[in-house]
Amino acid sequence: MATTTTTTAVGEPKRRVLPPEFNVFIGLLVIAGIFELLGWFVRGDSFLFNLQRVSIIILQVSVIGIIAVGMTQVIITGGIDLSSGSVLAMTAFIAMSFAQVSSNARAVYPSLTDLPVIVPVAIGLGVGLLAGLINGVLIAYTKIPPFIATLGMMVTARGVANWYTRGQPVSFPTESYASIGQGMMPVIIFAIVAVLFHILLKYTLYGRRTYAVGSNEQAARVSGINVERHLMLVYAIAGGLSALAGIVLSARGQTAQGGMGLMYELQAIAMTVIGGTSLTGGRGSIIGTTLGMIIFGVITSGFTFIRVSAYYQEIIMGIIIVGAVVLDVYRQRLRGRI
Amino acid sequence: MDGKIILRTEALTKHYGGVRALEEANFELREGEHVAVVGDNGAGKSTFVRQITGVEQPTSGTIFFDGQEVHFKSPIEARDAGIETVFQNLALADDLDVPANLFLGREEIYFNLGPFSFLNERKMMERTEEALRATGVKIPDLRNKIRNMSGGQRQCVAISRSASFASKLIIMDEPTAALGVQETAQVENIIRGLKRRGVPLILVSHNLRQVFDLVDRIWIFRRGRIVGAVDRNKTDGNEIVSLITGVKTGVGEEAAFI
């Protein structure tokens, strides 16, 4: 019997590599450190060692963070979802219209007031899932690029939001609906969503297929994965998470109004990419996105803290979004060189 | 060779519009047999493989696999019937590790929750180690992503993937085309292991040295037709080359049934 001892391993020696999220974490520490220093220079005060400020930073980003979780799984499949902010607005209007109190003389549906909180939440999530499903069907079956399909949904959903009440804001929700957004509830909801999707992406078939489709769609297909059905599911879930963000945001503000969620999708993409998810697909994690979200919050709050005017902040935000993508391209090139 | 016929094609024909890529191919493969399919570029080798693996559907002719007439509509159907294919372009997901790739599309799960079923990583890891041991492949870190591996390691993973699922037939399309000397030797060792285990193989190759080293029987394609099938022991490189180039003709169908 011939032996197979000649089949020695070809390749590099075994080497422990740090998880990619580690670099993002270091980035967070560096950026927070810079603002801490600047804080002492400009204000003579600590930026970080203030529990109230830190909790506000996280509170401010957690609604977009919910969208970013959905965005992460979409980007891992190699796609993009530009409709998140508009879907958020559309679902906020529709959910709020079923959450109004009867004492409100200008309720959208005067006969449908004081409903239990489950009704507006279920309707809102349903609308978001449906919008996401339409994105998914377009992308999976008509093969139009995700960029175009979700751009169409972005315009359409914004149109639905404005048409729904002819531009009138919808206010005065029931107490139980409003409680969804009060206090630290948005952070708690984000945390639950993030843990859930971390588990889904890391330990279930859903995650395995998501990474496989983004990594090599052809390989996924010949391996027997139903790529179309999976993409529909991924986009539908992303739409559902945008709807959840819309419910939380409208509950927090106790109103749904035009202009809600504008450019949230871009901020969610920025959080995702800062967190190490690759726009070419196949790579990324919820831990990374959570760190990216905190970095995003630290930067925006940090600029406010050191008294950079709101106008400059928008400009800087644009630079951060482009910078995050440049960073991704640079990472790809580094990887290619090895 | 004796033993029962595992794969047989009758007058298998494929036309792409006016192009006759494959004409009336009568092919057969017996249990435990390793055969090579050789021929010049455009001779119809890959077209032939695409018909029997369900990637394309033949224009006419019939395929019998494991005693039954089959009409595969997709590679997945062929795979479910027991035909594993190692494609020329590696069908691996670069961002996944070795067990994830080995079990892609047929993951082990704990209990069925549809797409949200939990993966049984431990079982997949154990079976991966088993499969790699059986094929004699050594990869230092199975948790490493395919992206970080050499061409040879990738090809070994791809072949182990096909070999480790109790399949009735393995088809390899140019498995060593892009590999170095040492890596080629490694792949050839895996193929010898398959022979010992009695797994039938169709090897599409340009490398005559490799063909003579590995297979029992050589099928020669030329301009879309099978022009010969000869036992390795009853021929030499010169005869094969003249059949491939068409210098020697007429052996054709007679040779196939010596």
Side-chain angles (χ1 to χ4, degrees):
Chain A
M1 201 81 195
T3 56
T4 50
T5 44
T6 45
T7 58
T8 45
V10 193
E12 60 283 4
K14 189 168 171 174
R15 184 168 56 97
R16 266 286 140 228
V17 263
L18 289 163
E21 291 85 5
F22 187 75
N23 292 331
V24 184
F25 185 66
I26 296 294
L28 171 60
L29 291 184
V30 169
I31 290 165
I34 290 170
F35 279 110
E36 181 68 19
L37 276 177
L38 286 171
W40 282 106
F41 271 115
V42 179
R43 305 266 306 246
D45 190 7
S46 170
F47 171 61
L48 285 175
F49 298 96
N50 181 330
L51 194 64
Q52 201 193 348
R53 186 176 298 120
V54 171
S55 47
I56 288 173
I57 289 175
I58 297 178
L59 187 61
Q60 279 174 338
V61 288
S62 54
V63 170
I64 304 180
I66 295 170
I67 294 175
V69 169
M71 191 68 78
T72 302
Q73 41 140 27
V74 166
I75 293 179
I76 291 172
T77 67
I80 197 97
D81 185 356
L82 296 180
S83 68
S84 317
S86 300
V87 170
L88 176 149
M90 174 172 74
T91 53
F93 271 101
I94 296 173
M96 275 295 286
S97 70
F98 291 98
Q100 291 178 299
V101 287
S102 52
S103 54
N104 177 12
R106 296 180 55 195
V108 180
Y109 302 113
S111 57
L112 293 171
T113 48
D114 291 331
L115 297 172
V117 67
I118 183 75
V119 176
V121 170
I123 291 174
L125 291 179
V127 168
L129 284 168
L130 185 68
L133 187 66
I134 294 170
N135 282 335
V137 170
L138 286 173
I139 290 157
Y141 290 104
T142 69
K143 307 285 175 202
I144 47 178
F147 173 78
I148 301 296
T150 59
L151 188 74
M153 180 57 72
M154 169 181 164
V155 177
T156 308
R158 182 66 64 187
V160 170
N162 291 331
W163 156 84
Y164 190 64
T165 57
R166 306 296 188 269
Q168 294 301 309
V170 184
S171 310
F172 305 112
T174 57
E175 222 166 273
S176 51
Y177 186 83
S179 70
I180 298 171
Q182 295 318 300
M184 293 302 274
M185 273 302 279
V187 181
I188 294 166
I189 292 172
F190 165 78
I192 293 169
V193 166
V195 169
L196 181 69
F197 278 84
H198 173 73
I199 292 170
L200 275 182
L201 284 180
K202 230 174 147 55
Y203 302 108
T204 72
L205 268 181
Y206 178 81
R208 183 59 44 87
R209 290 174 183 164
T210 303
Y211 285 98
V213 168
S215 185
N216 186 343
E217 193 180 315
Q218 205 53 44
R221 209 180 289 281
V222 300
S223 301
I225 294 175
N226 188 334
V227 175
E228 284 73 29
R229 205 171 59 196
H230 188 70
L231 284 176
M232 284 185 340
L233 191 58
V234 167
Y235 281 91
I237 287 176
L241 287 173
S242 299
L244 182 61
I247 291 165
V248 172
L249 193 62
S250 60
R252 182 163 193 82
Q254 305 199 13
T255 182
Q257 55 194 355
M260 258 181 122
L262 262 184
M263 296 209 285
Y264 274 23
E265 57 282 331
L266 295 186
Q267 298 186 27
I269 292 167
M271 289 173 181
T272 306
V273 176
I274 291 170
T277 298
S278 166
L279 283 170
T280 50
R283 276 191 301 274
S285 71
I286 299 298
I287 295 176
T289 297
T290 305
L291 290 169
M293 176 191 90
I294 297 172
I295 289 178
F296 201 84
V298 165
I299 292 174
T300 47
S301 305
F303 280 126
T304 310
F305 183 67
I306 59 170
R307 294 181 174 140
V308 174
S309 113
Y311 299 116
Y312 294 122
Q313 283 190 35
E314 280 191 351
I315 296 169
I316 291 163
M317 195 69 71
I319 294 170
I320 291 170
I321 292 172
V322 175
V325 178
V326 171
L327 191 71
D328 177 48
V329 173
Y330 181 69
R331 275 195 297 243
Q332 301 290 336
R333 206 173 299 158
L334 264 187
R335 222 180 289 269
R337 208 177 290 151
I338 295 166
Chain B
M1 288 294 283
D2 41 53
K4 104 177 191 269
I5 291 173
I6 190 92
L7 177 80
R8 186 159 63 89
T9 69
E10 267 178 17
L12 195 65
T13 301
K14 179 69 180 179
H15 295 172
Y16 300 103
V19 182
R20 297 168 170 211
L22 189 66
E23 285 267 34
E24 308 260 325
N26 296 314
F27 178 92
E28 63 176 38
L29 176 74
R30 287 167 191 280
E31 249 175 7
E33 192 183 20
H34 277 199
V35 303
V37 165
V38 299
D40 220 336
N41 290 331
K45 309 186 297 286
S46 292
T47 307
F48 175 71
V49 168
R50 282 199 294 273
Q51 311 313 307
I52 55 179
T53 53
V55 176
E56 291 172 357
Q57 282 70 49
T59 309
S60 64
T62 42
I63 303 167
F64 297 92
F65 179 65
D66 206 16
Q68 282 177 358
E69 188 175 342
V70 289
H71 302 273
F72 299 131
K73 287 183 209 65
S74 69
I76 295 152
E77 278 185 24
R79 197 186 69 180
D80 289 343
I83 301 181
E84 291 283 340
T85 312
V86 180
F87 288 101
Q88 211 163 1
N89 51 343
L90 308 168
L92 297 173
D94 276 353
D95 298 295
L96 299 180
D97 61 15
V98 178
N101 266 291
L102 235 63
F103 284 87
L104 195 61
R106 47 194 158 193
E107 289 84 358
E108 295 286 347
I109 54 173
Y110 283 108
F111 43 87
N112 195 350
L113 293 172
F116 305 112
S117 307
F118 279 80
L119 299 164
N120 190 339
E121 294 281 3
R122 185 186 305 188
K123 190 168 174 193
M124 287 195 274
M125 182 54 112
E126 281 168 11
R127 286 193 51 194
T128 301
E129 284 168 350
E130 227 169 83
L132 294 185
R133 224 180 355 255
T135 45
V137 175
K138 290 202 183 71
I139 287 168
D141 183 2
L142 296 181
R143 285 274 171 241
N144 204 349
K145 307 264 183 281
I146 295 291
R147 178 182 301 285
N148 304 324
M149 295 184 183
S150 68
Q153 284 178 324
R154 285 156 174 253
Q155 191 62 283
C156 288
V157 171
I159 294 174
S160 302
R161 178 183 144 122
S162 301
S164 59
F165 289 92
S167 56
K168 295 173 187 153
L169 168 61
I170 295 185
I171 299 170
M172 298 187 192
D173 194 355
E174 301 270 2
T176 58
L179 302 185
V181 176
Q182 202 185 356
E183 294 172 329
T184 300
Q186 201 175 355
V187 169
E188 288 173 355
N189 266 322
I190 299 177
I191 294 175
R192 288 190 189 95
L194 291 173
K195 178 71 188 166
R196 282 195 296 276
R197 284 162 52 197
V199 182
L201 168 85
I202 299 175
L203 173 71
V204 178
S205 181
H206 267 123
N207 184 337
L208 285 187
R209 192 272 313 154
Q210 183 176 61
V211 165
F212 273 92
D213 271 5
L214 294 173
V215 306
D216 309 312
R217 201 165 161 76
I218 303 165
W219 292 76
I220 302 103
F221 282 60
R222 193 168 71 85
R223 297 169 72 181
R225 289 176 180 277
I226 293 178
V227 294
V230 285
D231 281 359
R232 175 193 54 185
N233 299 328
K234 294 182 185 145
T235 186
D236 55 32
N238 288 333
E239 189 188 15
I240 301 294
V241 170
S242 38
L243 282 167
I244 290 173
T245 54
V247 173
K248 179 176 172 182
T249 50
V251 195
E253 297 305 303
E254 297 90 81
F257 299 104
I258 295 168

